[in-house]
Amino acid sequence: MAEERRTRSTEAFYGRRHGKTLRPRQGAALDAFLAATLIDLEKPSPAEISELFSVAVTSVRLEIGFGGGEHLLTQVERYPETGFIGVEPFVNGMAKLAAAAEEGEAGRPSNLRVYDDDATEVLDWLPEGCVEGIDLLYPDPWPKKRHWKRRFVSQVNLDRFARVLKPGGLFRFASDIDTYVNWTLMHCRVHPAFEWVAQSALDWRTPYEGWPGTRYEAKAIREGRPPAYLTFRRL
């Protein structure tokens, strides 16, 4: 079962891995979904990352911590010529994506692969300069100062992003927590591989093209926490 895969200590994932216990039908559906889409990091990464997918793709994008998969699945369906890798260690989030993917008009998409553990393992496994974009959308903000070291945005992980992104590739970060937005701006500003592409406040106040919104985002807006949508280019 999917739950049995949680065996290793992780470098960058500190959150919960389990929510409500999955019903037998949900668990069976999740296992079937993972059997078809889960990336096996025990195998060497392919020389051409497009080989991960059963259909021809012209580019590959990575989403880290996709939650319930609202944004990821929207992108997968909108860009069938692009391959997507989604990483989510939270079992219930992966189960939501599995159910939504199976219920889609085309059934389980062929341009989607997933990983259900620490994203740093995927980043270290991927070939150099292989992805066009990395999305980190509403990550856990770890608001207490003593926990800031747990935030996924760090110089070490930006080094990882820089290694796997193609020149000109985009790192997109969205959050409603102003301290994490400022933290990310600061870290990217001092990293030599990234530049912030915003020209005006409208750029970071406007959602990304095709942005579907999420339940978490709607709650944040209701509670008076306006989101910021940052985009950085790999130099």
Side-chain angles (χ1 to χ4, degrees):
M1 295 292 289
E3 289 81 354
E4 295 174 353
R5 274 182 274 271
R6 303 299 186 271
T7 57
R8 77 175 194 88
S9 59
T10 61
E11 175 181 340
F13 181 75
Y14 298 93
R16 292 187 306 153
R17 293 190 181 277
H18 302 271
K20 294 181 179 178
T21 301
L22 300 180
R23 295 189 295 271
R25 184 174 179 178
Q26 290 176 308
L30 174 59
D31 282 341
F33 176 75
L34 292 178
T37 61
L38 187 68
I39 296 174
D40 183 1
L41 300 192
E42 295 299 319
K43 297 179 179 179
S45 60
E48 296 293 334
I49 198 62
S50 59
E51 296 174 11
L52 278 178
F53 305 91
S54 59
V55 293
V57 297
T58 58
S59 61
V60 175
R61 289 167 52 187
L62 171 67
E63 182 168 337
I64 296 172
F66 57 72
E70 299 102 319
H71 174 262
L72 177 59
L73 197 56
T74 297
Q75 298 297 293
V76 165
E77 294 173 346
R78 184 174 184 178
Y79 301 105
E81 74 286 353
T82 299
F84 290 86
I85 299 172
V87 182
E88 179 54 69
F90 187 50
V91 171
N92 301 70
M94 187 69 75
K96 288 181 180 179
L97 176 69
E102 294 289 355
E103 293 170 1
E105 293 183 5
R108 185 185 303 140
S110 300
N111 62 328
L112 173 64
R113 298 298 300 273
V114 301
Y115 187 64
D116 60 349
D117 211 312
D118 191 338
T120 61
E121 287 211 323
V122 176
L123 289 165
D124 291 342
W125 178 83
L126 288 170
E128 183 176 347
C130 68
V131 299
E132 299 281 353
I134 297 174
D135 289 342
L136 183 63
L137 309 174
Y138 292 98
D140 193 323
W142 295 107
K144 295 180 180 179
K145 189 172 182 178
R146 67 176 182 274
H147 292 155
W148 284 1
K149 61 182 178 294
R150 297 183 178 184
R151 289 175 170 176
F152 198 85
V153 174
S154 66
Q155 291 304 301
V156 171
N157 284 337
L158 287 176
D159 286 344
R160 287 182 163 110
F161 289 0
R163 189 188 71 82
V164 301
L165 277 169
K166 294 181 178 181
L170 301 179
F171 162 42
R172 305 195 303 182
F173 173 92
S175 178
D176 60 300
I177 306 300
D178 55 1
T179 58
Y180 203 176
V181 172
N182 293 337
W183 169 280
T184 300
L185 286 169
M186 179 188 70
H187 278 74
C188 288
R189 181 178 181 180
V190 300
H191 197 288
F194 293 97
E195 66 173 356
W196 189 23
V197 303
Q199 299 298 313
S200 70
L202 187 62
D203 291 326
W204 55 264
R205 291 173 178 167
T206 303
Y208 305 119
E209 182 181 358
W211 178 252
T214 68
R215 286 173 293 176
Y216 176 85
E217 180 183 65
K219 179 182 178 183
I221 293 173
R222 288 196 306 269
E223 295 177 355
R225 299 190 306 275
Y229 308 90
L230 309 181
T231 301
F232 304 91
R233 181 182 294 114
R234 169 69 166 96
L235 298 173

